[in-house]
């Protein structure tokens, strides 16, 4: 029985970056899958157990944590995936907050403007991608990770968020050589490649309403 359990819906959503981290690090976990219908009906009572009434949640033995970015930071700290010193730890946290900003913009578009606002959203996307291309360019000319010379939880969060955008617009990174090469490097990591090509991963839609 794995020590870790991820409490989430059968979608990628805000849990996928956590799954990418665990898979790439060769850390096993249990999917404590919550069916959306049961959640909405309150039949299983899980919503009232959640600190903020939302998922994902994460169990490490008797310890239970909510908030996707808190879970990422917790695992980053526990598994040495949060930078090499205090400065890098702060920069990893800062970049992860920038990824969260992009994820929220994407989520608002996906849930509130998907039918009418796709072109408009894609027009605003380059201004966001420019930021991450520039961050990469300032770290070993973009040949390493988003911060420093070690992978961090911000990389897994950025990779998942870029995947969401590539799913929306397959050519969205065509003018971003560093981000394109960065994604290719990460998805080629053996354990991550195995997970990304697995049925369990492919079977999960990005979100329930997606497409
Ligand atoms: N700040 C929180 C936000 C968590 C969050 O928004 N969770 C969503 C799921 S994450 C996500 S991708 N939401 C949009 C798509 C979705 C909606 C409903 C169920 C599953 C996915 C949720 O629990 N919705 C159900 C509810 O609020 O009762 C975090 O980062 O964990």
């Amino acid at each position: 029985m794995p020590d870790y359990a991820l409490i989430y819906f059968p979608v990628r959503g805000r849990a996928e970056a956590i799954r990418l981290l665990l898979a790439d690090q060769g850390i096993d976990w249990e999917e404590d899958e919550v069916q959306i219908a049961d959640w909405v009906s309150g039949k299983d009572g899980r919503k009232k157990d959640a600190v903020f009434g939302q998922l994902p949640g994460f169990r490490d033995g008797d310890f239970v944590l909510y908030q996707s970015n808190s879970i990422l930071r917790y695992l980053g700290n526990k598994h040495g995936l949060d930078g090499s010193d205090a400065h890098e730890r702060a920069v990893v946290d800062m970049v992860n907050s920038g990824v969260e900003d992009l994820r929220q913009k994407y989520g608002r578009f996906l849930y509130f403007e998907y039918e009418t606002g796709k072109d408009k959203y894609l027009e605003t996307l380059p201004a966001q991608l420019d930021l991450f291309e520039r961050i990469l360019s300032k770290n070993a000319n973009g040949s390493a990770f988003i911060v420093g010379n070690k992978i961090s939880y911000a990389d897994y969060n950025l990779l998942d968020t870029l995947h969401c955008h590539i799913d929306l617009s397959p050519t969205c990174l065509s003018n971003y050589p560093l981000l394109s090469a960065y994604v290719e490097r990460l998805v080629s990591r053996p354990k991550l490649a195995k997970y990304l090509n697995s049925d369990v991963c492919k079977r999960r839609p990005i979100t329930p309403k997606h497409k």
Side-chain angles (χ1 to χ4, degrees):
M1 185 78 159
D3 291 338
Y4 290 161
L6 182 59
I7 313 164
Y8 198 59
F9 309 107
V11 299
R12 299 186 194 185
R14 282 188 171 276
E16 198 62 16
I18 299 163
R19 296 183 179 116
L20 296 180
L21 182 156
L22 295 169
D24 186 49
Q25 294 298 314
I27 300 169
D28 195 13
W29 77 95
E30 175 203 346
E31 286 282 348
D32 181 353
E33 202 167 87
V34 177
Q35 297 310 316
I36 297 176
D38 295 342
W39 174 269
V40 171
S41 69
K43 187 176 83 173
D44 61 3
R46 304 292 294 268
K47 185 169 173 73
K48 69 173 177 25
D49 292 343
V51 175
F52 297 95
Q54 291 192 304
L55 297 178
F58 192 81
R59 275 199 306 273
D60 178 1
D62 296 332
F63 177 62
V64 183
L65 192 62
Y66 293 90
Q67 291 292 346
S68 58
N69 290 303
S70 301
I71 297 165
L72 283 169
R73 268 190 291 275
Y74 172 70
L75 292 171
N77 178 266
K78 194 173 172 188
H79 295 283
L81 304 166
D82 61 350
S84 303
D85 58 31
H87 283 170
E88 275 197 5
R89 200 160 23 257
V91 175
V92 169
D93 184 61
M94 174 189 75
V95 171
N96 192 66
S97 295
V99 176
E100 172 64 20
D101 289 343
L102 176 54
R103 187 183 287 276
Q104 288 195 17
K105 289 181 173 70
Y106 169 78
R108 275 194 294 275
F109 151 69
L110 203 66
Y111 285 96
F112 304 110
E113 301 159 15
Y114 189 73
E115 301 310 325
T116 60
K118 183 172 179 179
D119 291 345
K120 184 170 157 243
Y121 180 74
L122 290 178
E123 282 167 20
T124 67
L125 185 56
Q128 299 299 315
L129 297 176
D130 286 346
L131 304 173
F132 293 99
E133 185 84 357
R134 190 173 66 202
I135 293 168
L136 268 181
S137 72
K138 292 183 176 178
N139 181 30
N141 297 319
S143 65
F145 300 100
I146 196 65
V147 177
N149 58 11
K150 277 173 55 185
I151 200 164
S152 71
Y153 64 87
D155 288 296
Y156 299 113
N157 201 12
L158 177 55
L159 177 62
D160 177 55
T161 305
L162 291 174
H163 275 164
C164 292
H165 286 85
I166 293 166
D167 178 76
L168 181 68
S169 168
T171 60
C172 72
L173 296 186
S174 55
N175 296 327
Y176 297 92
L178 298 183
L179 280 172
S180 301
Y182 168 80
V183 168
E184 283 316 304
R185 273 198 312 279
L186 291 181
V187 300
S188 305
R189 292 165 64 95
K191 293 187 176 81
L192 201 44
K194 184 178 174 195
Y195 170 73
L196 289 169
N197 292 311
S198 67
D199 290 341
V200 282
C201 173
K202 289 182 175 176
R203 220 181 11 243
R204 285 192 197 100
I206 288 190
T207 65
K209 279 171 53 179
H210 183 63
K211 287 183 180 168

